[in-house]
Amino acid sequence: MSSTIPTTNALQATLRGITETLEYKRVLAELEQGARVISISGLVAGSARALALAALQRQTKKLFAVVTLANRDLESWEGDLRFWYCALAGSSDCDHEVLLLPASETDPYAGSSPHPETLERRALTLWQLARYSPDFVLLTARALSRRTVMPEEIINAGSVLKRNDSQSPEEFVERLVAAGYLREDPVGAVGEFSLRGGIVDVWSPGQTSPARLEFFGDEVDSIRSFDPETQLSTNQLQSIEIVPMRELVVRADDFRLWAMAARDRWNDERYARALRDRTEFAGQGEAFAGWEWLMPIINAGSGSVFEYLKDAVLIVDEPSLLDSYLGEAYQTLADRFAETDDADDLALQPSELYLTAEELRAKLNDRQRIELRMLGRAAAELDQGVGLDAEAPKIQLGRTRSVRQQLFLFPVAEQAPEVDWKTQSARKYHGRFASLASDLVTARDSGTTSLFVMPSLGVAERVAEILAEYEIDAELRLAEDAASGDLQKPSQTIVTVGRLSGSFEMPAAQLSIHLESDLFDEAGAQALERRGPGADAKRQKEKGKKTKSKTAAFLSDFRDLRIDDFVVHVDHGIGRFGGLQTLDLGGRSGEFMLLFYLEDAKLYVPVERLDLVQRFSSAEGHQPTLDRLGGLGWLKTKARAKRAMRDMADELLRLYAERKLVGGYAFAADTPWQQEFEDGFEYVLTPDQETAIEDVKHDMEEPTPMDRLLC
């Protein structure tokens, strides 16, 4: 192993080989000549596709919009693109942006609102697309077809404030509430704000810390970032972007207007109960569960993501699968609307929430696009010919579905150029380093560069040491050491730190990518991670982090649950636990927690969202009443609880105000006899014990009643 760590500038030279390939040059030429559809086949791994796209985008400087199947695909695409883009730039601090636009994958007809994190991510990405020119945006098929607000509306939903701007703090707070911000004091999370006199604290999406705005009358006098833990200012700011927390800006008057419009639209007597449940809240200017899917009757989304993409190049990942998936999704929406309407519940037509297939097809045809088809045009023609859709993800929950029609959103165009960009999967060695060393020698003799991308510094160092034992000159290169401008290619075996979704070999670029999973068995890789160089430092670095997430904390209690135990879902209320069930998600299975509600209504909660569920606890022997799934009983219960908490808070504030006015006895400071007595204690105090003792003494010396509980 080299004694000095080369830089990623040298790694940049290693990867330049992809721009020398005929495949790259042909795709680039077709893009620059304005070819409407370009088909690329042969890129077997997602990381290989990301490398090709990162190289093409750096050259064209256009926005690349990558359309994937579902939200679960976005993370791997983002990681791959960021790694390759920085490697090609020769720096760990590469100036580029990869945005994510997830779909609101909740059922529009289930009576529940999309997850707040999804709403926040969508609003932030639409804001950045409307204001800036990023390099990549990653979105799902359903996000592509979803109706939303126009770019000018999302810009008006947020604001950009500068020092000395004219702005009323009261009006600013009203805009925050309408954009989805919650009032909390003190501010401790994204999407929260507080108002104290002429000072507004707010934490906007996309910001690493909250900002404190001081107003002098109706003028912004000061803008500072501050630490949410200490509440101390950290930096003076000239301006601040306040990004909306959701796409739709809705005020109390909008809910009242919706209530009137809803009575006109659903005036049939059979909708009376469902209408009453919603308008009871909306008529008072308050939100209700699932309002986002019903608000378009007064605030219809007049745009789609296409209005944000401008002259972007669409990158369609496996068009045949996307076509099948959207066909299934459109049919599911139609079926669910019919079921909801038959149940006398309020629902909007799918065409009011999503683009129709005809609208989507027309917008796709107006865009330049690259289609990534692993098996090429011939396989795509076969798919279209026989209606093959076996790989489309499905979930059957006991309902009878009508036959889905193919949408043909991405027809195979005979005149479209097709580029066969050959790659192949990398070999798995399972710890056989002698075979690996032999292959590396062969690769070196043929001029191929072997790049080992390891997940941590400890594993990377250990791999370099193992290769050195087999007399393979491997150089360790780290992104943070990018100090040299040397673009020469000194070695053909490189070990670096990063995370990719898959390994591959690209013969045309004389490049071979290996991951940790290619070298070790899983158990061996985990052991190496623990034993490898740098492991101690890593453990020390992570020592102060939390060891359990909210989900993990719940799971320790979840193991004690039994069938028919009562649980509470944050959004749907009290239900009965029905056990775990595995459902077919098309090509992979998913595990769900089954909950029963009133009238045996079923709710399937994916194990990834178990943080929304907790055990029901009450007085011994108390039998709770099950809530109605989709009803408003649970919302009313939460509303009563919130009012009770507000009353309790008012009482506590009054009590503490009275205590502040009551004088207490101030004890004198420690005397030498006190110190002598304490020194006689035979045990060594822990740091926490010492802190607690000093805090109690300090409070006892104050002339106010002590407010402290020591356990």
Side-chain angles (χ1 to χ4, degrees), residues 665-679 685 689-702:
Y665 180 79
F667 288 87
D670 285 353
T671 64
W673 294 277
Q674 170 78 14
Q675 185 64 46
E676 183 178 344
F677 172 75
E678 292 180 359
D679 291 342
L685 295 177
Q689 288 172 332
E690 289 182 345
T691 301
I693 291 172
E694 293 302 320
D695 289 343
V696 169
K697 287 182 178 180
H698 179 270
D699 286 357
M700 293 175 67
E701 293 170 8
E702 296 293 324

Side-chain angles (χ1 to χ4, degrees), residues 466-648:
I466 291 174
L467 293 178
E469 293 174 4
Y470 286 89
E471 299 182 350
I472 300 297
D473 183 20
E475 295 196 54
L476 185 63
R477 301 180 179 176
L478 300 180
E480 55 266 30
D481 296 302
S484 167
D486 178 21
L487 292 180
Q488 299 303 312
K489 192 175 180 181
S491 175
Q492 290 182 286
T493 304
I494 303 168
V495 183
T496 190
V497 176
R499 291 191 180 273
L500 291 176
S501 63
S503 56
F504 62 91
E505 295 178 2
M506 188 178 290
Q510 294 186 304
L511 183 64
S512 180
I513 308 299
H514 301 278
L515 304 184
E516 179 188 24
S517 57
D518 301 330
L519 308 184
F520 309 99
D521 292 324
E522 184 177 355
Q526 293 172 352
L528 182 68
E529 175 79 23
R530 294 191 297 267
R531 295 194 309 265
D536 292 338
K538 181 179 180 181
R539 283 193 294 270
Q540 184 66 26
K541 181 179 180 181
E542 296 179 348
K543 186 177 180 180
K545 296 183 178 179
K546 292 182 178 180
T547 58
K548 288 187 178 181
S549 64
K550 292 181 180 178
T551 304
F554 169 78
L555 286 174
S556 64
D557 186 52
F558 173 70
R559 283 191 289 268
D560 298 330
L561 277 180
R562 298 178 181 177
I563 302 297
D564 293 335
D565 280 356
F566 292 100
V567 296
V568 182
H569 190 285
V570 171
D571 297 323
H572 302 289
I574 299 175
R576 185 164 45 82
F577 178 55
L580 291 179
Q581 291 196 8
T582 301
L583 300 179
D584 181 18
L585 299 177
R588 71 185 189 99
S589 61
E591 197 167 23
F592 291 77
M593 183 180 182
L594 174 60
L595 305 182
F596 289 98
Y597 284 83
L598 196 64
E599 298 177 354
D600 284 333
K602 297 179 181 180
L603 175 68
Y604 292 92
V605 182
V607 293
E608 294 85 357
R609 296 318 320 274
L610 290 182
D611 57 308
L612 299 177
V613 184
Q614 57 184 299
R615 175 193 289 274
F616 176 84
S617 59
S618 66
E620 185 68 27
H622 174 65
Q623 287 286 102
T625 302
L626 296 181
D627 286 303
R628 182 183 300 277
L629 191 61
L632 296 183
W634 177 242
L635 289 180
K636 294 177 181 177
T637 300
K638 291 201 296 185
R640 287 195 300 269
K642 287 183 179 179
R643 286 194 292 269
M645 286 195 301
R646 283 198 294 267
D647 294 342
M648 183 185 295

Side-chain angles (χ1 to χ4, degrees), residues 14 17-18 21 443 446-450 489 492 506-512:
T14 299
I18 192 173
T21 63
S446 65
T448 298
T449 296
S450 298
K489 192 175 180 181
Q492 290 182 286
M506 188 178 290
Q510 294 186 304
L511 183 64
S512 180

